[in-house]
């Protein structure tokens, strides 16, 4: 899947400022940032755009400037398994860094997104010259792994209401928009439950004043109340 065929935006300051603020580039000088900037493509994608699919060749690393992206897998029977919901400031599609040649997930834009991309040769070029970038990426991947392990623990030991509450608390941390743009089915896929069960739980949370439900959106109103559902 070919992406980022358009030239880089002329407004270089916007990209430079974003890179300077990104955690993986936080130790770099302005000159080093400009070197990286010359190797990055940037493009806006609409909701519903598939950035890459399962089994695509892994040749690009992505940085999300704004918007939201869902990572998910499809089983052999067509069941969708939600892996993560990504917000601004994170990188994803890191298979090129791990020596993997194929993608293991789908990446779908679920809220209009501005995405930066680095090809594998450019990633290698940057890492060779700036090893601390690789260290920051390793730190981020370690945190992501810990998050996945936490979710596995939840699936094994938490009740479904607790899993729903925990997922809502995580998702409410992304971005400035208080709305969680997620359908009941997507939330059910994320916590490993039936949609009907999740809908019943959300309705109960709404009656208790913990959340507000609107079509395709969930608003967290009482964070402490949701935490009480977990423990």
């Amino acid at each position: 899947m070919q992406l980022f065929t358009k030239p880089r935006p002329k407004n270089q300051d916007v990209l430079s400022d974003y890179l300077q603020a990104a955690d993986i580039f936080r130790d770099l000088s302005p000159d080093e940032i400009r070197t990286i900037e010359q190797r990055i493509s940037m493009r806006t994608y609409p909701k519903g755009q598939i950035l890459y699919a399962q089994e695509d060749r892994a040749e690009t690393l992505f940085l999300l400037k704004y918007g939201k992206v869902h990572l998910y897998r499809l089983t052999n029977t067509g069941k969708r398994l939600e892996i993560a919901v990504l917000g601004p400031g994170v990188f994803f599609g890191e298979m090129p860094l791990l020596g993997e040649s194929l993608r293991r997930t789908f990446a779908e834009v679920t809220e209009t997104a501005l995405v930066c991309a680095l090809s594998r040769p450019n990633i290698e070029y940057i890492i060779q010259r700036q090893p601390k970038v690789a260290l920051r990426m390793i730190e981020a991947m370690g945190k992501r792994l810990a998050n996945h392990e936490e979710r596995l623990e939840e699936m094994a030991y938490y009740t479904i209401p607790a899993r729903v509450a925990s997922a809502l608390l995580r998702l409410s941390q992304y971005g400035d928009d208080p709305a969680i743009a997620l359908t009941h089915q997507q939330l059910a896929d994320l916590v490993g439950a039936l949609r009907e069960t999740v809908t019943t739980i959300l309705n109960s949370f709404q009656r208790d004043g913990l959340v507000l439900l609107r079509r395709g959106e969930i608003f967290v109103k009482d964070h402490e109340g949701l935490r009480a559902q977990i423990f």
Side-chain angles (χ1 to χ4, degrees):
M1 181 183 297
Q2 295 296 318
L3 298 173
F4 301 96
T5 56
K6 294 183 179 181
R8 289 200 315 101
K10 293 181 180 180
N11 189 350
Q12 295 186 0
D13 291 338
V14 173
L15 179 55
S16 178
D17 290 347
Y18 168 67
L19 295 177
Q20 192 78 58
D23 191 53
I24 60 174
F25 300 131
R26 67 177 184 264
D27 297 327
L28 302 188
S29 70
D31 286 343
E32 291 168 337
I33 288 291
R34 280 191 287 272
T35 298
I36 294 174
E37 182 185 6
Q38 296 303 316
R39 295 178 174 272
I40 285 183
S41 299
M42 187 165 64
R43 183 172 173 182
T44 301
Y45 287 96
K47 179 180 178 180
Q49 175 71 48
I50 301 295
L51 298 179
Y52 56 79
Q54 208 165 306
E55 302 303 324
D56 277 356
R57 291 196 61 80
E59 298 174 343
T60 307
L61 179 74
F62 299 89
L63 294 161
L64 184 57
K65 189 174 188 296
Y66 67 71
K68 289 183 182 177
V69 172
H70 282 215
L71 302 184
Y72 63 90
R73 295 180 185 175
L74 290 181
T75 67
N76 293 333
T77 59
K79 181 175 174 56
R80 175 165 165 154
L81 176 63
E82 293 281 347
I83 303 300
V85 180
L86 307 179
V90 303
F91 69 88
F92 59 100
E94 62 268 19
M95 289 299 102
L97 301 178
L98 304 177
E100 296 284 349
S101 61
L102 297 178
R103 304 288 187 189
R104 294 187 178 182
T105 64
F106 286 83
E108 179 180 349
V109 175
T110 55
E111 185 179 293
T112 301
L114 183 58
V115 183
C116 305
L118 277 163
S119 67
R120 181 168 185 159
N122 283 331
I123 297 168
E124 293 173 350
Y125 175 89
I126 292 169
I127 288 176
Q128 287 170 1
R129 286 157 181 77
Q130 302 295 339
K132 51 192 168 184
V133 172
L135 292 176
R136 299 291 175 254
M137 289 181 172
I138 291 170
E139 288 175 4
M141 286 188 284
K143 291 177 182 177
R144 193 171 300 170
L145 178 59
N147 181 264
H148 290 328
E149 291 177 345
E150 181 180 340
R151 285 186 58 201
L152 286 174
E153 182 179 353
E154 290 177 3
M155 297 286 281
Y157 300 113
Y158 282 20
T159 64
I160 297 177
R163 299 205 301 261
V164 171
S166 180
L168 292 176
L169 288 170
R170 279 198 304 270
L171 294 171
S172 67
Q173 299 173 4
Y174 293 118
D176 299 324
D177 190 346
I180 300 171
L182 207 66
T183 67
H184 292 194
Q185 183 62 63
Q186 288 172 327
L187 183 56
D189 292 338
L190 194 61
V191 302
L194 295 175
R195 181 190 59 77
E196 294 81 2
T197 303
V198 168
T199 295
T200 299
I201 292 168
L202 288 174
N203 287 336
S204 175
F205 284 177
Q206 181 167 245
R207 286 193 299 271
D208 292 339
L210 305 181
V211 301
L212 175 64
L213 304 178
R214 292 182 181 169
R215 186 176 182 83
E217 294 181 330
I218 305 169
F219 296 80
V220 174
K221 297 180 64 179
D222 185 350
H223 288 77
E224 289 304 319
L226 282 178
R227 290 190 184 94
Q229 300 294 318
I230 301 173
F231 303 106

